[in-house]
Amino acid sequence: MPSLTDEEIASRVQRGSRDDFGILMERYEAKMLRYAHKFLFGYDEAEDLVQEVFLKAYINIQSFNIKRRFSPWLYRIAHNEFLNAIKKKGKEPLPFFDPDTLFPHPIAAATADSDLHKQELRSELDQYLGKLDARYREPLVLYFFEEMSYREIADILQIPVSTVGVRLKRGLDYLRKFYK
Amino acid sequence: MDNNTPQKSIHERVLERIKGGEVSMHSHWYFVLRGALLAVGIIALALTVFFIFSFIIFALRVSGVWFMPVFGWRGFGEFIWSLPWLLIVVSLVFIIILEILTRHYALAYRQPLLYSALFIIAIAALGSVAFAQLPLHRSFLLKANENKLPVAGFLYRGFALQEQEHIYPGVVREMASDGFQLQTRRQEILRVLITQDAKLPYEKITVGNFVIVFGERDEGVVRAMGVRLLDSETWEHGPGFGRHMMTSPPSYQPFPTMPMQ
């Protein structure tokens, strides 16, 4: 029997199947933990926060549109939860308004050797992620570790697609300063 | 629990809390209602912005300030100075709130802020123009004049009915060699002296013309810096509209008619 898609399982959860929610959590637990550890660099509460993410996902499951992809929806909940944790700790400044979202920016096209390039960058990112601002760290984690597209990252962070490109580029520029 | 008991995974702990009844999902209708409230809020805010924008245009036309930019730099300065800045700031605040509310939708947040802000301003401008076609503001103004407009009456009395310094709309009653006599909507007769530097219309000013005069007043005499002719349609619901129903101020003795040369 072919396995059900995330969206089909979410639909069953919406109809009342709590055990099916367990299947969704099993599929995403490792990803959420990785996302939490990489984004919340230096924060100890990753596991507690991931638990909160899943609880919020269950509480709000009726707001999920089964015609859309489940993954960005869950990551959006995780983004909000992690951002709240950062604000509560007050260790990192989070600007209220980001001027990068104001104007359009041309989006850089992906290069042919981008997969190899991605692998090389991942190892560098692992070392220096903690030195980056949360604003640049998060899109880098979503792009290089969670392998999200620009469009998916834009939906998770609720920013323009062109701003995703700007933040990735700036994050990589800062990263290059550290490992040069 | 001792050290040998394996720790439960996150998903096991969460499932335990769900099955234990500690958390329950919001109903589908909760989100339907929330979405409907957001939509109603956006619509209500948009209509408020249309009302305020169209009121600003209406108030500027009725006060005569709208016509000032044609009188050169001084007229433009008068225009800027007389703008209802408080209302403009309130409109901008509402537009910012509209922008924040609409960013819940993918159509808005996927675009740069500039595009969605310009779109909202364009819709506000179009909506205001459409709103202004309705006789709503005129009827509200008349009600405000009679103190029969409880909520927004202060807006109309404060912005639209207030007489503006240096702006005198009226009807030309008599011509003179150095100007003319102007009868305002409040039946006041003013003597208008046309100075050498005054900006005048291409057409000749004659008795019966509706005009708006920009100038400095001293008692019953206005030294005009500019005069503009108004067509009857503009005059009917334009500068000074509503003032004829107000109690007239003590009227000045009309100056003797100057002989035509």
Side-chain angles (χ1 to χ4, degrees):
Chain A
M1 187 171 122
S3 67
L4 296 170
T5 63
D6 295 342
E7 293 72 33
E8 283 165 343
I9 297 175
S11 172
R12 284 157 74 135
V13 176
Q14 285 176 338
R15 280 179 264 132
S17 171
R18 290 187 265 196
D19 287 328
D20 278 314
F21 190 68
I23 299 173
L24 275 176
M25 285 193 286
E26 276 184 58
R27 290 185 181 185
Y28 280 93
E29 186 173 330
K31 287 182 188 179
M32 287 290 118
L33 276 170
R34 184 178 59 221
Y35 178 25
H37 284 302
K38 299 247 180 252
F39 179 37
L40 300 171
F41 208 91
Y43 293 79
D44 305 324
E45 311 92 339
E47 278 206 15
D48 290 339
L49 287 169
V50 168
Q51 196 169 311
E52 282 305 308
V53 168
F54 285 132
L55 284 169
K56 291 225 165 112
Y58 180 76
I59 291 168
N60 293 294
I61 195 73
Q62 294 290 355
S63 73
F64 170 64
N65 182 350
I66 56 167
K67 289 177 191 154
R68 306 186 87 159
R69 285 191 60 234
F70 179 77
S71 175
W73 180 81
L74 184 65
Y75 273 89
R76 172 74 191 160
I77 293 173
H79 158 82
N80 287 338
E81 202 59 34
F82 299 161
L83 220 58
N84 287 341
I86 292 175
K87 283 178 192 168
K88 266 189 198 155
K89 284 274 182 176
K91 277 204 269 184
E92 292 180 78
L94 288 170
F96 176 72
F97 171 69
D98 183 4
D100 285 337
T101 61
L102 188 55
F103 298 110
H105 305 277
I107 303 169
T111 56
D113 60 348
S114 57
D115 281 344
L116 178 63
H117 187 53
K118 267 187 180 178
Q119 272 180 347
E120 288 168 359
L121 278 170
R122 250 182 234 136
S123 56
E124 300 298 341
L125 272 170
D126 255 330
Q127 286 184 61
Y128 299 106
L129 259 179
K131 293 183 187 285
L132 289 172
D133 201 51
R135 194 159 39 137
Y136 303 119
R137 195 163 70 233
E138 191 175 16
L140 286 168
V141 167
L142 289 170
Y143 186 71
F144 288 102
F145 294 99
E146 304 307 315
E147 302 193 319
M148 298 273 176
S149 66
Y150 278 28
R151 177 80 158 218
E152 285 169 333
I153 297 172
D155 284 337
I156 291 165
L157 305 184
Q158 287 194 349
I159 55 175
V161 175
S162 57
T163 307
V164 174
V166 168
R167 289 200 188 164
L168 283 172
K169 186 182 178 306
R170 289 222 187 109
L172 289 173
D173 288 343
Y174 283 126
L175 196 72
R176 284 185 191 107
K177 281 184 195 168
F178 295 129
Y179 69 77
K180 266 187 182 164
Chain B
M1 193 170 100
D2 56 41
N3 290 336
N4 292 328
T5 311
Q7 204 182 14
K8 287 183 186 165
S9 65
I10 291 173
H11 75 265
E12 282 169 340
R13 279 182 263 153
V14 171
L15 214 51
E16 209 173 271
R17 290 175 71 178
I18 291 170
K19 287 182 175 175
E22 208 179 309
V23 290
S24 57
M25 63 171 84
H26 287 312
S27 73
H28 172 70
W29 290 108
Y30 170 89
F31 297 103
V32 169
L33 192 64
R34 207 171 72 169
L37 277 173
L38 180 64
V40 163
I42 288 171
I43 291 167
L45 211 53
L47 288 174
T48 306
V49 170
F50 295 162
F51 178 83
I52 295 177
F53 265 29
S54 63
F55 173 77
I56 289 172
I57 294 168
F58 172 77
L60 289 175
R61 290 184 72 87
V62 162
S63 65
V65 171
W66 182 264
F67 304 94
M68 291 303 104
V70 298
F71 297 127
W73 284 112
R74 284 198 71 173
F76 188 74
E78 185 74 30
F79 175 79
I80 296 294
W81 178 255
S82 305
L83 283 174
W85 288 108
L86 182 63
L87 285 180
I88 291 169
V89 167
V90 166
S91 310
L92 289 174
V93 167
F94 282 168
I95 285 177
I96 289 168
I97 296 171
L98 252 179
E99 175 68 45
I100 291 168
L101 289 179
T102 53
R103 280 195 107 66
H104 279 92
Y105 301 103
L107 203 63
Y109 68 67
R110 280 187 191 153
Q111 303 300 323
L113 207 66
L114 182 71
Y115 290 175
S116 54
L118 286 175
F119 178 76
I120 287 172
I121 289 170
I123 295 289
L126 286 170
S128 309
V129 166
F131 216 94
Q133 305 308 312
L134 306 169
L136 199 68
H137 287 305
R138 290 197 290 274
S139 108
F140 279 175
L141 180 78
L142 295 173
K143 281 190 166 62
N145 214 354
E146 295 163 17
N147 284 315
K148 284 179 182 171
L149 195 67
V151 178
F154 76 97
L155 266 181
Y156 289 86
R157 285 189 294 274
F159 290 101
L161 286 171
Q162 286 295 323
E163 287 192 12
Q164 297 290 327
E165 219 181 332
H166 308 135
I167 298 172
Y168 309 97
V171 181
V172 176
R173 281 293 175 232
E174 209 168 308
M175 295 306 297
S177 56
D178 58 353
F180 55 86
Q181 284 197 348
L182 181 78
Q183 184 177 22
T184 68
R185 288 203 199 241
R186 290 220 245 165
Q187 310 309 311
E188 223 184 338
I189 301 290
L190 299 173
R191 182 181 166 188
V192 178
L193 293 177
I194 295 176
T195 62
Q196 215 170 0
D197 303 325
K199 289 193 185 311
L200 297 173
Y202 291 121
E203 307 92 325
K204 200 177 161 194
I205 300 169
T206 55
V207 171
N209 281 158
F210 301 116
V211 296
I212 186 162
V213 177
F214 173 51
E216 300 277 352
R217 177 172 170 170
D218 182 13
E219 300 279 327
V221 179
V222 177
R223 298 188 73 81
M225 288 181 275
V227 180
R228 196 197 125 143
L229 288 173
L230 302 172
D231 58 64
S232 54
E233 205 186 318
T234 307
W235 168 257
E236 195 186 340
H237 300 298
F241 175 78
R243 285 191 212 149
H244 65 282
M245 296 181 68
M246 294 166 81
T247 315
S248 297
S251 55
Y252 293 93
Q253 288 298 319
F255 278 72
T257 312
M258 300 289 287
M260 293 287 291
Q261 289 186 2

